[in-house]
Amino acid sequence: MFRLLISLCLRKLIKPNAMKLQLTTLLLLFTLFTYSQTNFEKGYFINTNGDNVECLIKNEDWSNNPTDFKYKLTEGSEIQTGNITQIIEFGIGNSFKFIKEEVDVDISTNHVSNLSYLSEPEWEKRTVYLKVLISGKASLYFYASPGINRYFYNLENGKVVQLIHKRYQTFDRNIKVNNDFRQQLYNSFLDCNSLEIKDFNAVNYNQPSLSKIIKSYNDCSGSNSNYFETNNANLSFNLKVKGGLNVTTLNNLNYPYNSNRNASFGNILGYRVAVEGEVILPFRNNKWSIFLEMAKVQKVHKETENQAGKVEFTYDFFEIPIGVRYYMFLSQDSKLSLHAGHARDLFPSLEVNYESNGGFKNDAPSGSWFFGAGYHFNNISIETRLNIKAVIERNTPNYSSDYNNLSLTLGYTLF
């Protein structure tokens, strides 16, 4: 796949039409993006007949609670959709578990500019998939839909109810909070002597705090607390070293007032080395990251001839790319990626010399947009990247050119 990607990009690089080059690159990246999506993982679902079916579920790390999900019965079978009318429970190991419940949901807004004057919840009955956070004698659940984030709980096989927490405003525009969830928990956990009133007064309406008191009650009751929320909420950091080949293409260097200054240099082969810091973002199954590189590209130097004689082009610079990367997991050890961003040239030195009539120099910084794709296996990665620059136009008024870089690098993740 990457051999084809590089071959097609090189073919386009030697053509003068930069717009065609950009469209071709975007098309290739889109094709790669649609080729592989979130991996299907081993899971199960329970249908309305009570049948427990093992399957492969597409883990989409939903930001809002889903009403359906994609699954396959076997690796090679077709993708099917399970929905809330057919499936009462589904999950993947300890990663997540959703259960179907009919509950009363407080639908009042939490936006300061539109707070209700009522302190009591504004209930709406809904049939939803609740995300199980902790299961035990006492269980904790979460429900999110646009503009709504609510926690629910129940005891053993009792009714699932929402923990009440509502911001509201008074008629003199003061903001107050209904924290009835603390009283709800206190009334439900009276049989636990190790929990005191101060423990309930200290509980906040968020997952860590609610999980802590649910676990305390389960411990007090001799019940295990099974956790299903395993995603790391903290940022993680990778440091990588990279090295590889860099192909620079400079065609159609054009000066409209003197055709003797026009030239094309074709492809120029060199090396590229870089150090990259990458921050993995703690959502969407760790599929998104932000990265920053410090790279040295071999000095670009080439001579050619135009109608007036020899023309010499030299460009030397460091490069600082910053961008975003999207991972597509193939297995536990391997994944594909797409990335895009912007690079700035640091300490640039640009020089064009004409044998017949002098030349010009410029050290003004320039930048470029870039697009790329990669394959990663454990700590090893291989990436290809296309930079679309405007180095001549930006640094030297009246000149124009088609200037691009295509790189192929091998990387190693140190940690």
Side-chain angles (χ1 to χ4, degrees):
M1 177 181 292
F2 288 102
R3 183 183 300 174
L4 175 63
L5 177 65
I6 295 166
S7 174
L8 289 173
C9 285
L10 280 172
R11 290 180 191 176
K12 289 295 179 181
L13 276 168
I14 62 176
K15 292 185 178 181
N17 194 324
M19 181 61 71
K20 288 184 179 179
L21 170 62
Q22 296 179 42
L23 292 175
T24 300
T25 305
L26 290 173
L27 179 61
L28 287 169
L29 293 178
F30 177 76
T31 301
L32 180 59
F33 175 78
T34 56
Y35 171 79
S36 177
Q37 295 295 324
T38 304
N39 196 37
F40 282 80
E41 301 176 38
K42 186 176 181 180
Y44 75 97
F45 64 79
I46 301 175
N47 60 29
T48 52
N49 295 325
D51 301 321
N52 191 320
V53 180
E54 292 187 357
C55 63
L56 299 170
I57 293 178
K58 188 175 183 180
N59 183 356
E60 301 188 61
D61 193 24
W62 298 270
S63 56
N64 292 316
N65 289 39
T67 57
D68 57 37
F69 63 96
K70 305 294 184 183
Y71 71 92
K72 297 190 293 186
L73 293 178
T74 63
E75 187 66 47
S77 64
E78 65 178 12
I79 298 175
Q80 301 183 57
T81 300
N83 60 52
I84 203 165
T85 63
Q86 306 164 334
I87 308 299
I88 62 173
E89 179 179 317
F90 69 96
I92 295 178
N94 289 324
S95 295
F96 68 78
K97 177 180 176 181
F98 286 95
I99 62 170
K100 175 182 175 180
E101 291 287 341
E102 185 179 60
V103 292
D104 292 320
V105 181
D106 178 16
I107 60 170
S108 55
T109 182
N110 196 42
H111 295 297
V112 174
S113 60
N114 198 29
L115 289 177
S116 169
Y117 290 98
L118 301 174
S119 63
E120 296 303 313
E122 299 168 36
W123 299 113
E124 178 178 283
K125 192 172 290 293
R126 294 184 178 183
T127 300
V128 300
Y129 279 133
L130 294 178
K131 185 174 187 179
V132 182
L133 303 180
I134 299 177
S135 67
K137 182 177 180 180
S139 298
L140 181 66
Y141 312 91
F142 180 67
Y143 173 71
S145 65
I148 295 176
N149 291 284
R150 306 288 186 248
Y151 292 95
F152 292 76
Y153 84 117
N154 72 335
L155 288 180
E156 296 181 302
N157 296 319
K159 183 180 179 181
V160 177
V161 296
Q162 182 190 310
L163 290 165
I164 298 171
H165 171 80
K166 178 181 176 179
R167 298 174 72 191
Y168 64 97
Q169 61 180 327
T170 62
F171 288 101
D172 55 359
R173 298 293 182 178
N174 290 321
I175 296 176
K176 293 189 175 183
V177 182
N178 178 346
N179 284 319
D180 279 355
F181 72 94
R182 293 170 178 159
Q183 187 66 49
Q184 289 175 277
L185 293 170
Y186 174 78
N187 293 341
S188 298
F189 297 167
L190 285 173
D191 58 327
C192 178
N193 295 327
S194 63
L195 289 174
E196 302 177 2
I197 292 179
K198 64 178 183 179
D199 298 315
F200 296 96
N201 289 334
V203 179
N204 294 313
Y205 201 76
N206 57 52
Q207 183 179 330
S209 188
L210 292 170
S211 297
K212 181 179 178 181
I213 198 162
I214 292 289
K215 183 181 184 302
S216 296
Y217 176 76
N218 286 338
D219 291 344
C220 178
S221 304
S223 170
N224 291 327
S225 295
N226 299 313
Y227 289 81
F228 290 89
E229 183 70 14
T230 58
N231 288 338
N232 186 358
N234 299 315
L235 298 173
S236 59
F237 179 78
N238 293 330
L239 182 65
K240 304 177 183 180
V241 291
K242 299 178 177 181
L245 299 177
N246 188 74
V247 179
T248 299
T249 298
L250 176 61
N251 286 319
N252 300 321
L253 176 61
N254 182 59
Y255 186 68
Y257 306 110
N258 187 348
S259 61
N260 287 337
R261 288 179 172 265
N262 298 343
S264 287
F265 294 86
N267 296 326
I268 308 165
L269 181 64
Y271 66 79
R272 184 181 191 276
V273 293
V275 176
E276 178 191 291
E278 179 185 38
V279 176
I280 306 296
L281 302 177
F283 55 80
R284 304 299 297 176
N285 286 323
N286 297 326
K287 291 186 289 187
W288 288 95
S289 72
I290 300 173
F291 64 88
L292 175 69
E293 283 184 4
M294 180 63 180
K296 179 64 179 78
V297 178
Q298 183 179 353
K299 180 188 291 188
V300 178
H301 179 83
K302 193 170 183 181
E303 292 183 357
T304 189
E305 290 192 7
N306 66 5
Q307 61 188 22
K310 289 184 179 180
V311 186
E312 183 181 20
F313 173 78
T314 304
Y315 189 46
D316 192 19
F317 62 99
F318 286 86
E319 187 179 58
I320 303 181
I322 182 170
V324 295
R325 183 177 285 117
Y326 178 78
Y327 288 106
M328 295 163 284
F329 293 91
L330 303 177
S331 69
Q332 185 175 355
D333 299 321
S334 64
K335 53 195 173 186
L336 299 173
S337 69
L338 299 174
H339 63 270
H342 191 265
R344 294 293 294 175
D345 294 349
L346 188 65
F347 311 123
S349 176
L350 171 69
E351 185 173 352
V352 177
N353 291 312
Y354 297 90
E355 183 182 35
S356 59
N357 53 1
F360 61 84
K361 296 181 180 181
N362 202 303
D363 59 0
S366 66
S368 62
W369 294 102
F370 62 82
F371 313 90
Y375 173 73
H376 311 258
F377 183 79
N378 290 328
N379 290 341
I380 305 295
S381 63
I382 182 170
E383 287 187 327
T384 183
R385 178 182 299 172
L386 177 64
N387 288 57
I388 302 172
K389 285 180 175 288
V391 61
I392 305 297
E393 298 95 316
R394 187 166 298 161
N395 289 359
T396 310
N398 300 322
Y399 280 85
S400 63
S401 68
D402 294 329
Y403 184 103
N404 302 283
N405 294 101
L406 179 68
S407 63
L408 179 67
T409 58
L410 184 68
Y412 183 80
T413 301
L414 300 174
F415 58 83

